[in-house]
Amino acid sequence: VDGTYEAELNDNGASSAASVTVSGGVALVTLKHGQSLTIKAILRDTHYVVTENSYAVDGYSTEPASRQYSGNLSEDEQTAYAPFTNTRNVGSLAVSKTLAGNGASTSLSFGFRVTLTRTDSIPVNQTYACEVTSGASVSKQTITFTAGTAGFTLQGGQRMTIYGIPTGTRYTVSENSYAADGYTTQASGANGTIGTGQSTAGFVNTRWIGTLTVRKALAGNAADTEHSFPFDITLSDNAGLTVSGTFTATGAQRSVTFRGGKATVSLKGGESVTIQNLLSGWTYSVAEVEANTDGYITTASGASGVIPYGGTTALFTNERNIEQAYKRITVTKTW
């Protein structure tokens, strides 16, 4: 059967002459989409086997699944057919980052990891085209998966779309934890299967902050307006752990520093200090060190509680009075 055979190549309806050379009983041919090849003048009773190479690694499935046709040319002028259909569908995965609350940082980059898995031989470890959208700005990039995973970062309002993922691929998107920074995370569509359209995984990070104002008021006829009254402030986070760090403040001080959950401030009558950027849900307590001393009667409101969204105030009023003695004097006039 070895030799060179006349053939006809049909390219999407346009025919042209061709030839096929058989050596050792085997001929190698290639076809593109819409092409067909007819080999002519094959002897009667010739047995044939037509096999297509596997392109599963490129994401193709083949019909028939065996990738093979075989038979015998047992009749004169018989034409045998070997139709092959290669199917490859891809979809995209979009991951979006949204911020909520009054304390979320628009400059913080949040870390993500995407994992792709398949049960067949189609590989997921590839470099895919992707786009990062931020408002009206679109940045074209690539992302490379190794051992089925790839990492990236997004800021609030950004979205990454990964293109060309074979359909049927399972995906999982996870975000790093930012609970220590006061964020709660809500995710939707974090797991799924890639279809022919776009799959979407959305992540919303919420962070609420509030303020704590400590205010000193004086009352009575003998209060000392020049005296500085010291206060101890304690602060614990949502897990009950002490808070340390320096926080911006307004009023009598420009900052307040907590060490081991404790800070000290001093205020004169009429003064206040407002500690800013405290996470909503933190627990606080304020105590006046010299309460009810030196003739003062101390009353307090809001001295302990939970930092709310917005702010709260701890008001301390020190009242001191001095009783004044009065003596009656009678004046008599004699003429």
Side-chain angles (χ1 to χ4, degrees):
V1 293
D2 288 357
T4 299
Y5 294 78
E6 291 184 3
E8 181 180 332
L9 177 66
N10 185 292
D11 189 354
N12 291 283
S15 298
S16 60
S19 63
V20 174
T21 298
V22 177
S23 177
V26 177
L28 300 177
V29 299
T30 60
L31 293 175
K32 297 179 180 179
H33 170 64
Q35 290 183 333
S36 63
L37 182 70
T38 302
I39 305 173
K40 301 178 179 181
I42 301 175
L43 293 177
R44 180 178 173 177
D45 295 326
T46 297
H47 179 73
Y48 67 89
V49 177
V50 184
T51 304
E52 183 182 22
N53 296 343
S54 173
Y55 293 91
V57 295
D58 298 307
Y60 288 94
S61 62
T62 303
E63 179 63 35
S66 63
R67 298 180 289 107
Q68 189 174 92
Y69 287 94
S70 62
N72 295 299
L73 298 175
S74 57
E75 300 178 7
D76 291 335
E77 304 299 328
Q78 177 184 351
T79 301
Y81 295 93
F84 292 86
T85 301
N86 295 73
T87 302
R88 184 177 189 266
N89 290 313
V90 296
S92 61
L93 172 62
V95 182
S96 64
K97 162 56 59 189
T98 304
L99 299 180
N102 67 340
S105 172
T106 57
S107 61
L108 178 62
S109 294
F110 297 85
F112 290 87
R113 181 165 296 276
V114 178
T115 300
L116 302 179
T117 58
R118 295 190 65 90
T119 58
D120 55 21
S121 58
I122 297 177
V124 295
N125 294 327
Q126 302 180 38
T127 297
Y128 299 87
C130 65
E131 291 180 345
V132 176
T133 304
S134 181
S137 174
V138 178
S139 173
K140 295 184 180 296
Q141 303 177 15
T142 60
I143 185 169
T144 300
F145 282 76
T146 303
T149 64
F152 58 92
T153 61
L154 292 175
Q155 294 180 339
Q158 290 187 327
R159 182 184 67 209
M160 171 177 276
T161 305
I162 306 171
Y163 296 100
I165 305 174
T167 55
T169 301
R170 291 284 302 171
Y171 69 87
T172 299
V173 186
S174 60
E175 182 182 12
N176 298 344
S177 174
Y178 293 89
D181 299 309
Y183 288 92
T184 58
T185 302
Q186 183 176 7
S188 61
N191 300 277
T193 302
I194 299 296
T196 55
Q198 183 177 98
S199 301
T200 301
F203 290 79
V204 179
N205 287 45
T206 303
R207 186 176 187 263
W208 294 101
I209 58 175
T211 62
L212 171 61
T213 299
V214 181
R215 188 181 303 277
K216 164 53 64 183
L218 297 178
N221 63 5
D224 184 355
T225 58
E226 296 302 316
H227 181 70
S228 292
F229 298 86
F231 294 84
D232 286 338
I233 308 171
T234 61
L235 201 58
S236 300
D237 64 17
N238 294 354
L241 303 176
T242 58
V243 174
S244 296
T246 298
F247 297 85
T248 302
T250 59
Q253 295 184 205
R254 293 294 173 261
S255 65
V256 175
T257 299
F258 286 82
R259 294 182 177 88
K262 183 177 179 181
T264 299
V265 299
S266 293
L267 299 172
K268 295 180 181 179
E271 289 186 333
S272 65
V273 60
T274 299
I275 309 170
Q276 300 178 333
N277 299 320
L278 304 179
L279 289 179
S280 179
W282 283 0
T283 302
Y284 75 91
S285 66
V286 184
E288 184 172 347
V289 177
E290 300 173 355
N292 297 305
T293 62
D294 199 20
Y296 287 97
I297 297 174
T298 304
T299 57
S301 62
S304 63
V306 176
I307 301 295
Y309 158 64
T312 189
T313 299
L315 172 62
F316 290 78
T317 302
N318 282 22
E319 182 177 1
R320 186 170 69 171
N321 291 295
I322 296 178
E323 294 186 5
Q324 298 185 19
Y326 295 92
K327 185 177 182 180
R328 183 182 299 274
I329 301 175
T330 303
V331 179
T332 304
K333 176 68 174 177
T334 305
W335 296 93

